[in-house]
Amino acid sequence: MSRFNELVQTIPPATLGIIALCVALYAVQIIFDVRLNSWTLCPRIVLAHHEYYRIVTSALLHATLIHIGMNMMSMSSIGSMLEKRMGTLRLLYTMLLS
């Protein structure tokens, strides 16, 4: 078994799912050349134009490969620790509220 497979098997399911979701969205973002300024958080635009979707999309979109790489590395370590301590459902609930 490769080191990568061993690493993936140690990551709890909710953390792994969140990482997979963010990586998949980054791939879609790159393939379709999504303009980030249409989706990222700007409180003035959210309030003035009622674009409330920006609150969620700004948390899921990433600007560069290094940006998503660093975020997913920290999600892997912090999310794994929290999920093992809190449980899968509580972590998902906390992530949803975040």
Side-chain angles (χ1 to χ4, degrees):
M1 183 178 303
S2 72
R3 177 73 179 120
F4 179 76
N5 288 341
E6 290 176 11
L7 178 66
V8 169
Q9 288 179 349
T10 63
I11 300 174
T15 303
L16 195 58
I18 292 166
I19 291 170
L21 173 66
C22 288
V23 169
L25 286 175
Y26 184 71
V28 167
Q29 178 184 329
I30 295 301
I31 291 168
F32 293 107
D33 196 28
V34 175
R35 297 196 59 200
L36 289 179
N37 61 353
S38 302
W39 300 94
T40 53
L41 185 62
C42 176
R44 181 181 49 80
I45 294 174
V46 169
L47 295 174
H49 300 287
H50 306 289
E51 295 180 359
Y52 301 110
Y53 64 88
R54 288 175 178 260
I55 296 169
V56 175
T57 57
S58 65
L60 297 173
L61 298 177
H62 296 84
T64 63
L65 189 58
I66 290 176
H67 181 202
I68 191 166
M70 296 302 285
N71 281 6
M72 295 308 104
M73 281 179 19
S74 63
M75 180 64 199
S76 171
S77 62
I78 297 169
S80 293
M81 179 188 65
L82 286 175
E83 188 170 355
K84 289 173 184 173
R85 190 171 285 177
M86 297 170 53
T88 300
L89 292 178
R90 283 183 63 193
L91 177 74
L92 286 174
Y93 183 68
T94 302
M95 295 296 291
L96 183 65
L97 291 179
S98 297

